[in-house]
Amino acid sequence: MRMYYSRLKLASVLGVCLLGLLLCLPNGMRKPFPSIPWRQIHLGLDLRGGSYLLMQVDLKSLTHDRLQTLVENTRDALLKSQLGYQNINVNADKNTVSFQPRDTAEADRDVATLDKLPRVVPNEFSVKKQDDGTIALVLSADAIKARAREAVTQSIEIVRRRIDGTGAVDPEITRQGDDRIVVELPGISDPERIKALLGTTAKMTFRLVDSNPLHATYAPPGVSLVPMANPAEGGPLPVFDHVDVDGTDLTNAGAVIDQQTGEWAVSFSFDSVGTRAFSSVTQTNVGKRFAIVLDNKVIEAPVIRTPITGGNGQITGGFDAQKATDLALMLRAGALPAPLSVVEQRSIGPSLGADSIRAGILSLGVGFLLVVVFMVLFYGRFGWYADIALLANLVLMVAILSLFEATLTLPGMAGMLLTLGMAVDANILINERIREEVARGRTPLAAMQTGFERATSTIVDSNATAFLAHVMLFVFGTGPVRGFALTITIGIATTLFTTLLLSRMLMARWYARTRPASLPV
Amino acid sequence: MFGRPLLRFVRKDTHINFMRGRYMGLIVSAVLSIASIILFFHPGLTLGLDFRGGIVVEAKTSGPADFAKLRTALAAQHISHASLQAFGAPDDVLIRLDAGDDQNTDAVVDTVRRAVTDAQPGTTILRADAVGASVSAELFRNGMLALGLSLAMILVYIWFRFEWEFALSAVITLVLDLTKTMGFLVITGFEFDLVMVAAILTILGYSTNDKVVVYDRVRENLRKYRTMPLMELINLSINETLNRTLGTSSTVFLAALPLALWGGATLSGFAWTMLFGIVVGTSSSIFIAAPLLLFMGEGRLKRGAKAGPAPAQQKS
């Protein structure tokens, strides 16, 4: 390497450092005027307080629901074509719906009829005659996968809508893997309400109650005993499986106070499809009970007194303000395609976050000072230069993290600190080399040149291995640990820049200025 | 302050015969590692929440924590096998519950939360975590995978840059470092969780770095002194790099020390483990990796023939 640096080179290295300093500014001040880009480091949940929820989409139930629908579709299609069937059933392990044709001669017509059933995705299922004479509708594995992917995408959208409705600030909702959703809620350290919101599928259906007294304890096919949402109101009600009106036909819902009773209620309005269905059911079934079923629980089952044709209605289910608001919110946001369950939850209160920031900054400050003092004591002038590079290193690390708008976590702070400890290693290597060369009796110039040259390959080698280890950690880690790996990986890059360019340049320029007879090593 | 260094670890004409202690070093290492492995199986690591699953609630009660009251409150909610411990101040409580077979750890966490705040009004919840069994198994698998792959990549990298004797002795040494770190974790009772895996990977990275520097010098000397016996050559290389080894381990040590002292509950275990790892990683370069290289490379390591990659050309 040469010992002379052009002004341009010097200017560009200093320019990078200065730019780094500028990029750090957004982290400590307000945006002075709106037109400039303003990127800053975000504080992780462990530093600002908040909750992290990892939710799993129940894909099994999704497939199960689809098979149930297929059973109904099959029944309807066969009845319409005046074909008979027996023993229709679902095999959840094989993802099939199968039945016994009334007459083996009809089998081909059965297949042809069922082949016309609507498919949610292309080639969703195939209709086959089995060896045992039954006919089976088989869901294809690809279709199940495609549905699952779509369900997760849908779920994310609905989760976002529901959370936005609660007024949470800066929620982050992301997909993880095939069937998981990460929800990050800064500032919410008690996520119980949000969990209740997300844990409800909010599939709402309006179904008639079977008024036959014999069916109150025994449900014939086509009728199910559905428990009451509030068990105090009595035992399960026999409700027809046939859905008269579906919650997906709702256009709006809100929490209101009922004029007559003064209780909280949820008012809703239907779109044209829902309005039509709702008015026709209420016209033909005056005097019967009409159950409002949410997630397989009866909220209420009022008697239809007059036909309701306006497309508006109200649900009173003994709500308090919060419950009414949340139910209205869920109805507006739509039903989840499949149930979500929380498989991991981490909540950090705001005070703990503040403590962590204090601890992190204190450790960083003290650690930085210790390293600075050590370098000066052990390496004199060149130690000072290493310290200048170390400061630049810290600045550049913060700058790059800001530029990426990275999230800083407590382990991330630890990563920064360790980077500072490791960063001076390059300077130590260079200095020790120069020292050796001087001891061998070389001139100052030759000693510095050889020292730089020899140390460079060692520096690159030793950093490469650390780099590899932390890339692995980034790939396999989650949450805070990823933050740690990211800061170290960035730190290695800034370390190479500051030690191989900046500190070396400072040393070379000092040499060029003073032409010393001996080196301070 | 500007000018000559005031301190130095060892004088430049230092010639400590490290290789004379090679058997001693290996024996001490073997004893420590075997002891660590025994500890690893009995009593075993204290698995953290990440890998064990279950719930942890950390609360700050108003006034000193009333454990009897808290226990009663939890029992009223049918939570019987929770462990309550004080930590730090008298108003700090840590409540743990192992993951049962039930899948709803997240509901239990809310129950515990409520029970605690009802039992002692004014209690603030500092932290409430719940990890389901399936997730904890997954996190553990990923942690181990990261460790294993890192070791494999380090092996390949050193093999690529040096020769297989170097790579093999480095990785054997790293595995020995790893066992000792596990022993340290068992003795101290620090929780083994994802943050700890991060600490261990950093230690591995550091330890590798340290060995690479010594190896680098060995390789250079192999080219320089073609006839010098390997034992003497390794000794010379260690002595030549001793100042750097001690210097860098000091700066990393100094950087991690404040974390251990003030890093708070989350990071102090991490930092202490780092400090331990720095000492182990530095000494293992000298007392284990070097002797292993000597045993494996005696009469085999190429001299001068295979000039390793030339130092990167600087364009400046």
Side-chain angles (χ1 to χ4, degrees):
Chain A
M1 67 153 264
R2 301 211 310 273
M3 287 294 289
Y4 170 74
Y5 285 94
S6 66
R7 291 237 159 129
L8 178 69
K9 194 149 195 168
L10 177 73
S12 55
V13 170
L14 290 177
V16 169
C17 296
L18 212 58
L19 181 69
L21 203 54
L22 279 176
L23 286 170
C24 290
L25 288 180
N27 296 306
M29 54 189 281
R30 281 166 192 245
K31 200 167 176 167
F33 40 93
S35 59
I36 49 170
W38 203 249
R39 291 171 158 255
Q40 59 189 74
I41 297 178
H42 298 287
L43 289 182
L45 292 178
D46 55 350
L47 295 179
R48 68 190 283 197
S51 294
Y52 162 99
L53 302 174
L54 180 64
M55 314 202 77
Q56 179 124 18
V57 182
D58 187 354
L59 298 176
K60 267 208 174 67
S61 90
L62 187 79
T63 311
H64 175 80
D65 282 358
R66 181 59 191 142
L67 289 169
Q68 284 299 345
T69 321
L70 270 183
V71 169
E72 295 206 5
N73 293 351
T74 303
R75 274 202 193 113
D76 292 348
L78 293 176
L79 287 174
K80 266 198 194 111
S81 318
Q82 294 170 353
L83 294 161
Y85 59 86
Q86 284 167 315
N87 305 337
I88 188 159
N89 65 34
V90 168
N91 182 332
D93 296 334
K94 290 186 179 161
N95 298 318
T96 56
V97 169
S98 60
F99 63 91
Q100 191 77 42
R102 181 175 49 191
D103 183 345
T104 42
E106 280 177 0
D108 286 341
R109 272 178 60 207
D110 285 336
V111 171
T113 310
L114 294 176
D115 224 12
K116 294 198 192 79
L117 282 179
R119 287 170 165 82
V120 184
V121 287
N123 309 322
E124 187 191 16
F125 56 84
S126 51
V127 187
K128 291 193 192 103
K129 280 194 285 191
Q130 308 279 77
D131 298 337
D132 57 2
T134 55
I135 290 176
L137 283 75
V138 188
L139 283 180
S140 79
D142 285 349
I144 292 173
K145 260 209 193 86
R147 275 302 302 278
R149 262 200 307 276
E150 193 194 348
V152 176
T153 311
Q154 262 179 343
S155 301
I156 289 176
E157 189 48 44
I158 287 156
V159 163
R160 181 168 290 124
R161 271 188 251 153
R162 288 187 189 180
I163 290 177
D164 284 345
T166 63
V169 187
D170 301 338
E172 287 216 3
I173 298 141
T174 42
R175 170 191 289 257
Q176 191 188 80
D178 290 333
D179 54 354
R180 288 194 182 152
I181 297 170
V182 174
V183 178
E184 290 183 85
L185 304 159
I188 297 178
S189 45
D190 185 359
E192 204 172 346
R193 179 187 166 201
I194 301 251
K195 280 194 325 197
L197 263 181
L198 302 181
T200 316
T201 321
K203 270 203 173 71
M204 188 154 86
T205 52
F206 296 81
R207 285 140 57 173
L208 284 167
V209 176
D210 187 350
S211 50
N212 183 338
L214 292 176
H215 297 165
T217 49
Y218 156 78
V223 177
S224 303
L225 288 172
V226 183
M228 300 294 294
N230 181 1
E233 291 176 14
L237 279 183
V239 179
F240 285 107
D241 286 347
H242 177 76
V243 173
D244 295 292
V245 191
D246 197 313
T248 51
D249 299 329
L250 289 173
T251 52
N252 206 353
V256 290
I257 291 188
D258 188 283
Q259 298 302 328
Q260 284 134 17
T261 60
E263 281 187 1
W264 278 96
V266 175
S267 71
F268 57 85
S269 47
F270 285 114
D271 59 11
S272 56
V273 177
T275 305
R276 258 200 309 279
F278 204 73
S279 64
S280 80
V281 174
T282 48
Q283 273 163 358
T284 50
N285 293 292
V286 172
K288 292 202 178 127
R289 291 181 78 190
F290 201 27
I292 301 169
V293 181
L294 183 79
D295 290 353
N296 242 339
K297 287 205 173 80
V298 177
I299 300 184
E300 61 164 344
V303 174
I304 302 169
R305 303 195 188 290
T306 52
I308 304 168
T309 53
N312 295 312
Q314 206 177 67
I315 308 167
T316 47
F319 302 123
D320 55 14
Q322 178 85 69
K323 272 211 168 100
T325 313
D326 285 352
L327 178 58
L329 171 62
M330 287 188 285
L331 293 178
R332 279 200 308 272
L336 287 166
L340 281 177
S341 57
V342 179
V343 286
E344 184 185 352
Q345 172 196 335
R346 293 172 195 265
S347 313
I348 294 112
S351 58
L352 193 65
D355 285 352
S356 295
I357 293 183
R358 260 197 303 279
I361 292 198
L362 178 71
S363 307
L364 251 165
V366 174
F368 183 79
L369 275 180
L370 286 175
V371 175
V372 164
V373 170
F374 175 93
M375 287 307 284
V376 171
L377 287 179
F378 277 71
Y379 296 102
R381 171 177 292 277
F382 290 166
W384 281 107
Y385 290 158
D387 288 340
I388 294 171
L390 195 62
L391 188 61
N393 197 347
L394 188 59
V395 166
L396 288 179
M397 245 195 292
V398 174
I400 292 180
L401 287 171
S402 311
L403 202 60
F404 283 174
E405 299 207 297
T407 305
L408 185 66
T409 58
L410 192 57
M413 279 183 147
M416 277 179 141
L417 196 47
L418 288 171
T419 301
L420 295 182
M422 296 289 289
V424 288
D425 176 45
N427 295 93
I428 292 177
L429 278 165
I430 292 171
N431 282 318
E432 290 297 337
R433 267 292 181 179
I434 293 176
R435 207 176 260 182
E436 276 183 68
E437 299 301 324
V438 169
R440 288 206 179 98
R442 297 203 185 212
T443 62
L445 177 67
M448 277 177 78
Q449 276 182 327
T450 331
F452 280 144
E453 220 158 85
R454 290 272 171 81
T456 302
S457 78
T458 314
I459 293 167
V460 172
D461 256 350
S462 62
N463 278 297
T465 44
F467 184 80
L468 287 179
H470 290 100
V471 166
M472 283 293 98
L473 194 55
F474 184 75
V475 172
F476 289 101
T478 45
V481 173
R482 276 190 93 143
F484 170 80
L486 181 71
T487 41
I488 292 222
T489 317
I490 290 174
I492 288 172
T494 55
T495 296
L496 287 176
F497 177 84
T498 51
T499 49
L500 291 183
L501 279 170
L502 185 65
S503 60
R504 180 196 280 190
M505 198 179 289
L506 290 168
M507 287 160 84
R509 288 192 59 83
W510 166 79
Y511 179 85
R513 251 196 347 265
T514 57
R515 300 274 164 191
S518 72
L519 293 177
V521 288
Chain B
M1 286 305 283
F2 249 115
R4 295 194 176 274
L6 298 172
L7 300 170
R8 171 173 303 196
F9 281 107
V10 296
R11 294 163 38 119
K12 62 173 179 285
D13 52 1
T14 308
H15 273 297
I16 307 171
N17 188 349
F18 288 106
M19 286 302 101
R20 206 176 46 195
R22 64 189 182 278
Y23 293 110
M24 204 57 223
L26 287 174
I27 288 167
V28 169
S29 160
V31 168
L32 286 176
S33 284
I34 290 167
S36 297
I37 291 168
I38 293 169
L39 285 171
F40 178 78
F41 285 107
H42 189 84
L45 288 169
T46 316
L47 287 185
L49 183 72
D50 291 348
F51 297 152
R52 198 189 51 212
I55 71 163
V56 170
V57 173
E58 201 178 302
K60 212 172 187 58
T61 48
S62 53
D66 183 345
F67 281 85
K69 209 170 181 179
L70 291 173
R71 264 196 192 93
T72 317
L74 287 173
Q77 298 289 344
H78 309 291
I79 292 171
S80 49
H81 45 275
S83 82
L84 276 75
Q85 49 187 130
F87 77 107
D91 58 356
D92 279 329
V93 191
L94 198 64
I95 301 159
R96 292 165 185 285
L97 204 60
D98 275 358
D101 307 326
D102 61 320
Q103 281 293 303
N104 52 356
T105 40
D106 73 290
V108 177
V109 112
D110 292 334
T111 316
V112 170
R113 251 191 131 106
R114 267 198 304 270
V116 171
T117 38
D118 292 349
Q120 275 191 284
T123 299
T124 47
I125 302 286
L126 298 179
R127 191 161 66 96
D129 296 346
V131 177
S134 63
V135 175
S136 59
E138 213 171 290
L139 289 174
F140 188 75
R141 204 178 46 235
N142 283 345
M144 295 305 106
L145 207 56
L147 274 178
L149 279 172
S150 293
L151 276 175
M153 283 171 88
I154 288 169
L155 179 83
V156 171
Y157 183 86
I158 300 183
W159 189 354
F160 198 74
R161 290 284 290 165
F162 295 87
E163 287 166 45
W164 69 263
E165 289 91 346
F166 289 90
L168 200 58
S169 44
V171 169
I172 292 173
T173 314
L174 288 179
V175 172
L176 290 172
D177 287 356
L178 197 62
T179 54
K180 293 185 189 71
T181 311
M182 292 290 172
F184 172 82
L185 288 179
V186 175
I187 290 170
T188 55
F190 288 137
E191 291 201 348
F192 185 67
D193 55 14
L194 270 177
V195 173
M196 210 45 106
V197 170
I200 289 171
L201 275 173
T202 307
I203 291 169
L204 288 184
Y206 170 77
S207 180
T208 311
N209 168 325
D210 203 60
K211 285 153 190 59
V212 165
V213 172
V214 176
Y215 284 175
D216 198 55
R217 188 55 72 107
V218 169
R219 182 172 55 186
E220 194 183 319
N221 286 339
L222 280 173
R223 276 180 237 148
K224 216 147 112 189
Y225 310 107
R226 308 239 169 141
T227 53
M228 189 188 283
L230 189 58
M231 174 130 132
E232 202 180 319
L233 190 135
I234 290 178
N235 251 334
L236 173 73
S237 307
I238 295 176
N239 277 300
E240 283 178 336
T241 51
L242 199 55
N243 255 324
R244 177 269 159 190
T245 301
L246 295 173
T248 299
S249 44
S250 309
T251 55
V252 182
F253 197 92
L254 289 174
L257 193 60
L259 272 184
L261 298 176
W262 305 298
T266 328
L267 285 186
S268 72
F270 167 92
W272 283 115
T273 310
M274 285 287 314
L275 294 177
F276 174 83
I278 291 163
V279 174
V280 166
T282 307
S283 49
S284 72
S285 301
I286 296 172
F287 295 109
I288 306 167
L292 283 178
L293 186 65
L294 178 61
F295 296 139
M296 282 188 216
E298 194 78 81
R300 310 185 45 135
L301 284 177
K302 303 183 190 70
R303 306 233 164 186
K306 181 186 173 188
Q313 286 301 310
Q314 298 302 313
K315 290 188 296 185
S316 45

